[in-house]
Amino acid sequence: MTDSWKPVLSRSVVLRHDRVRCTDLLVLPERVVVLQGNAGSIVRLCDGERDVDAIVAELAERHPGAPVAEEVPVFLGRLRKEGWLK
């Protein structure tokens, strides 16, 4: 993954918030993925405008002391490998 990558949801993927369960979901054709913890707030930043470094910087500002620089790029890479981000 390069730092210049500007992640965005793939065309067939929709991020939704389930108010009943108080959780974020990735809605895919014939599948729903339940996002745990702060995963939804990370995915919301994947707008195709911000690169990975900008996403990490914004999350580091929101969550001081959290290991976002180590964990967020790995998480985004997994979503990309699944085909949910491009």
Side-chain angles (χ1 to χ4, degrees):
M1 174 172 20
T2 65
D3 293 336
S4 62
W5 175 45
K6 295 181 178 180
V8 63
L9 285 173
S10 294
R11 187 178 306 227
S12 62
V13 179
V14 178
L15 176 64
R16 299 253 188 238
H17 183 75
D18 184 333
R19 288 179 282 164
V20 173
R21 294 178 189 91
C22 293
T23 192
D24 292 311
L25 310 169
L26 289 180
V27 181
L28 303 104
E30 302 181 25
R31 184 173 178 193
V32 173
V33 176
V34 178
L35 298 175
Q36 302 293 318
N38 290 318
S41 64
I42 297 168
V43 173
R44 276 188 190 79
L45 296 175
C46 297
D47 57 7
E49 298 295 321
R50 297 175 181 94
D51 63 15
V52 174
D53 288 341
I55 291 170
V56 167
E58 185 162 336
L59 291 167
E61 187 175 308
R62 289 183 194 178
H63 308 282
V68 295
E70 297 82 29
E71 294 179 2
V72 170
V74 173
F75 172 70
L76 294 176
R78 278 188 272 159
L79 296 184
R80 186 181 203 183
K81 186 176 178 181
E82 289 289 338
W84 304 336
L85 289 176
K86 57 180 183 170

